[in-house]
Amino acid sequence: MRMALAALAAGPRLSRRVSGLVPGLGRGHRTAAGRSQGRREAAEAEADAPVFQYVGERAARAHRVFVWGFSFSGALGVPSFVVPSSGSVPRAGLRPRRRIQPIPYRLELDQKISSAACGYGFTLLSSKTKDVTKVWGMGLNKDSQLGFHSSQKDKTRGYEYVLEPSPVPLPLERPQETRVLQVSCGRAHSLVLTDREGVFSMGNNSYGQCGREVVADEVYSESHKVHRMQDFDGQVVQVACGQDHSLFLTEKGEVYSCGWGADGQTGLGHHNTTSVPTRLGGDLAGVPVVQLATYGDCCLAVSADGGLFGWGNSEYLQLASVTDSTQVNEPRCLSFPSLGRVTQAACGGTGCAVLNGEGHVFVWGYGILGKGPNLVESSRPERIPPSLFGLSPYRPDVHVVRIRCGLSHFAAITNKGELFVWGKNIRGCLGIGHLEDQYFPWRVPACCPSFPGDDARGARGCGLWSGSHGDPGQVLRLNPWTARPRRWIGDPCECPWPLPPPADV
Amino acid sequence: MSKPQGCLVFDQAGFLSVLGVGHGRRLLTDMYNAHLTKDYTVRGLLGKAADDFCEDGKLVEKSTYDHVTREKLDRILALIQGSHQKALVNYSNLDLKTQEAYEMAVTGSIRPMNKSPMLVTGIRCLHFAPPEFLLEVQCMHETQKNLRKLVHEIGLELKTTAVCSQVRRTRDGFFTLDDALLRTQWDLYSIQDAIQAAAPRVAAELKKSLSLELGTQQLPNSDLSHESKGQTLP
């Protein structure tokens, strides 16, 4: 129950002034005796007034998912954005479709979502539940990247577009014991990481990105094929999808990859496709890795002692600090003394970002990097001034705790639970209420505040996934805040720029 | 005298107000046009809501507040500051796509130079002892009703109710409590000394602030403004 409303006495809500609630309280008394009598009456009336309880003492915060960006592929999971006549209640007049959702929109879900990922026009959500249904997908499904979703009219046919979060069938051996830890989405394939049954892959396999042999002329549309990979040395703890390749990180700190390798993004020392997950070497040999990042064709890895490694595409100066080559097919150590200890890396289409131990964000690469329009490219990391994330004399302890990259935009969450985005605002993927590009970190409207958690649960309750493989540009956020469904207070201007009129097509 | 700020009728603690004498009167206008921020300490009381947001106003509702913790309050305040940060930039009519806007955002010097609703540039909790809490608010274009309403809305966001029991200004632009003359010091010599001590700062700050808006205006000699700690002021 989101709001425990237990009025100890029947009475109207706060939003309406109640004249009858406190009887006998007038303002007409002018004499001293009258004034003191009025005060006494007021005090008595106040003591008698009923006390409302809106929330119990141990109120827990509910988790929420918010979506924004381009909606016509169905990736936002709101059917009425795409097809105006859907919905249980027929409307008197058809509401027009909503091509772009410019600010965060709350998705109504019953389940507690723990992981989310945005692909090219599709989205996956997963929960750590032991229930049979653990993963939901919505959006583009022409390559069965969301699995098979049978059509209502004909059970043998599958939907090419899934307009609302629908259960993704997984061939689990023990569906009531296995938990799904993480999901990841690429251009046309997806990965699902479980805690005891390995990694499942779905979708396009033209380059072996699903970790199985490429079958010539395979038809991916309406396919039931879900492939399981369990041949890793140790448990897989993180999966990451690039555009057409896949990366896997094991508990031993080793990295595996498969898929398209023309830019060297598989990091296996060649430029061929790989259809079986294979371990990486290069500068990563013997180095325990703790985090992987990829989204386009460039890859970054963070080692246990705070080092940074990169491979893949370097046409946009991502790896120019160590090589002039534009394709790097083996992991190279990136040494930047100014970074300090690296704790997180994020890799977009043309830009890279890392977070260091002090909670500072560094960016490099090409595009809108976040330091104004003058910084268009850099081969070395540049620190984004912490004041842009809210650090001020009033708030001296603000720092960033999580960063993510989309194809051409960035996002960061601070320890105060605020979400900042910057970069190209393709089809509203930034969620800031308008469609202009943003050249430095900007707060996303506070109607969906995200809190990293004030206890040991840490950042689990708040996740940030940046999408936009070009088209979809949707971003998801999880939000453990049970805000009343009301306009945010104190914001004198909800949207400073007029919203674009909803256009058909 | 200074521009009307609304009716400040708090008879409890005193607060800072800036007075101008002679030529200083014109400087007060300049100060007003510089759109500087002011600091307030605001005391709130949880569990009640009143129609004019005051502690002694007409009671509208009572509610429980045992679920409110310092962490929740801090979060709300961080969000308030965040949403007002955005409003600051939006009302300042800056083109955000310029390098200049970026640099101003980095130094935190973006603020509107014309009319705008009340904007909070900083807010934090100094003391929390339910049902009482004490906030420090740094704001501009405020009215005291808006400040009280802020307390009321903080209460709503905490899923309870709150009224404001005290508002006290502690800084007005570049004049702080340290510069203030106590009631006992309201004599000619102290006033003269205070004016002269403040003069260079006044000139420098006004010049800096007005250059944001006008760029080239010359300021006359500024040595005639002083402050006092006192009661109500129109």
Side-chain angles (χ1 to χ4, degrees):
Chain A
M1 174 131 77
R2 286 212 196 103
M3 228 163 50
L5 179 63
L8 299 183
R13 289 264 337 220
L14 183 59
S15 52
R16 293 193 304 282
R17 275 197 213 142
V18 183
S19 49
L21 187 64
V22 187
L25 196 57
R27 290 250 173 111
H29 297 127
R30 289 207 183 262
T31 63
R35 271 199 297 277
S36 69
Q37 185 199 8
R39 265 205 290 274
R40 216 176 38 244
E41 280 178 0
E44 284 169 14
E46 184 176 320
D48 289 340
V51 180
F52 286 80
Q53 181 184 36
Y54 289 102
V55 126
E57 211 175 317
R58 290 205 239 138
R61 295 176 301 191
H63 286 68
R64 302 254 162 90
V65 176
F66 288 82
V67 296
W68 61 89
F70 181 70
S71 70
F72 278 2
S73 63
L76 300 193
V78 184
S80 60
F81 286 174
V82 187
V83 181
S85 53
S86 59
S88 52
V89 180
R91 299 183 195 279
L94 272 186
R95 206 184 267 176
R97 304 194 290 168
R98 202 181 298 188
R99 175 172 171 266
I100 289 175
Q101 172 58 32
I103 56 169
Y105 181 93
R106 199 177 83 215
L107 209 56
E108 296 291 343
L109 293 168
D110 295 327
Q111 303 80 4
K112 181 173 158 183
I113 302 298
S114 63
S115 174
C118 299
Y120 188 119
F122 65 103
T123 313
L124 279 185
L125 306 170
S126 77
S127 167
K128 285 190 182 172
T129 176
K130 283 194 171 176
D131 290 352
V132 172
T133 302
K134 306 169 198 291
V135 182
W136 296 262
M138 57 247 207
L140 187 64
N141 199 27
K142 289 193 172 180
D143 285 274
S144 304
Q145 52 266 62
L146 302 175
F148 187 85
H149 292 264
S150 62
S151 158
Q152 280 178 350
K153 292 184 193 159
D154 179 356
K155 292 288 177 196
T156 61
R157 302 299 307 274
Y159 283 126
E160 282 197 328
Y161 289 90
V162 178
L163 296 187
E164 57 184 354
S166 306
V168 173
L170 291 174
L172 293 170
E173 280 174 7
R174 293 211 154 99
Q176 279 164 331
E177 290 174 28
T178 307
R179 294 190 198 270
V180 168
L181 301 177
Q182 190 210 336
V183 285
S184 184
C185 296
R187 181 189 61 84
H189 74 293
S190 22
L191 297 174
V192 178
L193 172 65
T194 63
D195 61 347
R196 22 173 315 149
E197 292 194 41
V199 183
F200 292 86
S201 65
M202 304 175 287
N204 187 290
N205 192 45
S206 312
Y207 311 110
Q209 61 266 50
C210 285
R212 56 185 173 90
E213 286 295 328
V214 179
V215 174
D217 300 326
E218 179 175 354
V219 173
Y220 298 108
S221 163
E222 297 179 67
S223 163
H224 292 257
K225 183 112 184 95
V226 179
H227 177 67
R228 166 158 47 193
M229 290 166 276
Q230 281 179 307
D231 290 335
F232 300 96
D233 185 10
Q235 168 85 5
V236 177
V237 295
Q238 190 202 344
V239 292
C241 284
Q243 192 119 352
D244 285 303
H245 69 286
S246 305
L247 298 179
F248 311 84
L249 175 65
T250 64
E251 60 187 351
K252 293 188 177 179
E254 292 173 338
V255 181
Y256 292 69
S257 73
C258 62
W260 180 243
D263 274 333
Q265 56 266 63
T266 46
L268 297 170
H270 56 74
H271 293 281
N272 310 321
T273 61
T274 309
S275 51
V276 172
T278 310
R279 187 161 57 205
L280 271 67
D283 286 358
L284 274 185
V287 174
V289 171
V290 294
Q291 194 236 335
L292 291 175
T294 183
Y295 205 68
D297 292 319
C298 179
C299 310
L300 290 177
V302 178
S303 65
D305 52 4
L308 187 63
F309 297 78
W311 65 97
N313 181 298
S314 183
E315 287 168 25
Y316 303 98
L317 307 180
Q318 298 100 315
L319 308 172
S321 58
V322 294
T323 174
D324 288 333
S325 175
T326 51
Q327 275 86 22
V328 180
N329 60 17
E330 271 200 329
R332 296 289 302 270
C333 178
L334 304 173
S335 165
F336 301 119
S338 61
L339 282 187
R341 221 182 125 258
V342 175
T343 54
Q344 255 186 68
C347 217
T350 60
C352 302
V354 294
L355 185 65
N356 74 356
E358 292 168 24
H360 294 158
V361 178
F362 293 76
V363 289
W364 74 100
Y366 174 83
I368 298 180
L369 296 177
K371 295 187 71 166
N374 286 2
L375 184 65
V376 172
E377 61 180 22
S378 168
S379 59
R380 307 198 70 84
E382 298 248 354
R383 193 181 76 148
I384 295 191
S387 57
L388 292 175
F389 294 113
L391 181 79
S392 71
Y394 265 69
R395 305 209 169 270
D397 59 343
V398 172
H399 58 270
V400 174
V401 295
R402 189 177 279 223
I403 50 171
R404 285 291 189 276
C405 275
L407 259 199
S408 46
H409 65 287
F410 301 80
I413 294 184
T414 64
N415 58 334
K416 298 295 176 188
E418 294 190 293
L419 170 63
F420 289 82
V421 292
W422 64 98
K424 286 200 78 59
N425 198 358
I426 298 177
R427 282 173 285 267
C429 64
L430 295 183
I432 48 182
H434 57 83
L435 299 182
E436 304 283 318
D437 296 338
Q438 181 60 35
Y439 287 87
F440 55 89
W442 189 253
R443 275 180 186 82
V444 176
C447 56
C448 56
S450 163
F451 299 98
D454 51 358
D455 54 16
R457 277 157 50 200
R460 185 173 73 81
C462 117
L464 170 65
W465 287 264
S466 273
S468 175
H469 266 276
D471 257 353
Q474 71 275 25
V475 186
L476 301 186
R477 276 186 69 235
L478 304 184
N479 163 35
W481 171 248
T482 54
R484 285 185 198 153
R486 196 154 50 74
R487 265 173 72 106
W488 177 243
I489 63 165
D491 187 351
C493 48
E494 273 265 301
C495 176
W497 288 266
L499 293 178
D504 256 349
V505 177
Chain B
M1 283 297 149
S2 64
K3 295 276 184 199
Q5 298 268 343
C7 251
L8 297 149
V9 264
F10 288 98
D11 54 2
Q12 289 133 311
F15 55 82
L16 192 88
S17 49
V18 176
L19 305 175
V21 173
H23 176 66
R25 286 177 293 171
R26 217 177 311 154
L27 290 176
L28 283 175
T29 310
D30 292 339
M31 247 185 92
Y32 178 77
N33 290 332
H35 301 277
L36 301 166
T37 58
K38 299 189 178 68
D39 276 356
Y40 289 85
T41 54
V42 177
R43 201 176 288 275
L45 204 62
L46 293 169
K48 274 171 43 172
D51 60 347
D52 63 349
F53 317 127
C54 261
E55 187 182 5
D56 49 359
K58 179 170 165 183
L59 177 76
V60 174
E61 187 177 291
K62 288 202 313 192
S63 60
T64 61
Y65 52 86
D66 44 10
H67 60 275
V68 178
T69 62
R70 176 77 190 247
E71 289 74 29
K72 286 184 184 160
L73 180 61
D74 284 340
R75 268 187 235 125
I76 297 288
L77 298 181
L79 293 173
I80 291 175
Q81 184 163 353
S83 69
H84 280 256
Q85 283 295 330
K86 284 166 53 85
L88 268 175
V89 178
N90 293 330
Y91 276 99
S92 67
N93 287 326
L94 266 185
D95 181 2
L96 289 183
K97 292 185 171 180
T98 58
Q99 189 70 16
E100 185 199 351
Y102 161 73
E103 274 153 22
M104 287 179 70
V106 171
T107 55
S109 52
I110 294 183
R111 60 174 196 269
M113 295 305 279
N114 41 32
K115 266 199 171 313
S116 79
M118 174 172 90
L119 294 173
V120 173
T121 55
I123 184 168
R124 65 178 165 189
C125 177
L126 294 177
H127 184 61
F128 180 71
E132 278 204 352
F133 58 94
L134 183 65
L135 304 175
E136 187 182 357
V137 182
Q138 189 186 62
C139 52
M140 58 189 302
H141 303 163
E142 78 288 351
T143 63
Q144 52 106 13
K145 181 163 186 197
N146 276 343
L147 284 171
R148 299 202 308 259
K149 190 171 177 205
L150 184 66
V151 172
H152 167 82
E153 292 186 329
I154 289 174
L156 287 187
E157 286 302 317
L158 287 168
K159 299 206 181 80
T160 175
T161 45
V163 290
C164 177
S165 52
Q166 188 194 61
V167 171
R168 187 165 170 255
R169 188 186 300 144
T170 53
R171 179 181 65 82
D172 187 338
F174 35 84
F175 291 106
T176 66
L177 278 177
D178 295 333
D179 306 315
L181 294 174
L182 296 174
R183 198 97 184 252
T184 51
Q185 295 168 311
W186 291 5
D187 59 80
L188 179 63
Y189 297 108
S190 307
I191 292 175
Q192 257 183 344
D193 290 342
I195 290 178
Q196 276 164 358
R201 250 192 313 148
V202 170
E205 290 286 346
L206 283 182
K207 195 167 170 190
K208 193 165 71 173
S209 295
L210 288 178
S211 71
L212 279 177
E213 192 184 16
L214 303 166
T216 54
Q217 180 168 357
Q218 290 281 338
L219 280 181
N221 271 342
S222 54
D223 54 353
L224 293 174
S225 68
H226 77 292
E227 353 58 41
S228 73
K229 196 168 174 183
Q231 297 169 340
T232 69
L233 200 70

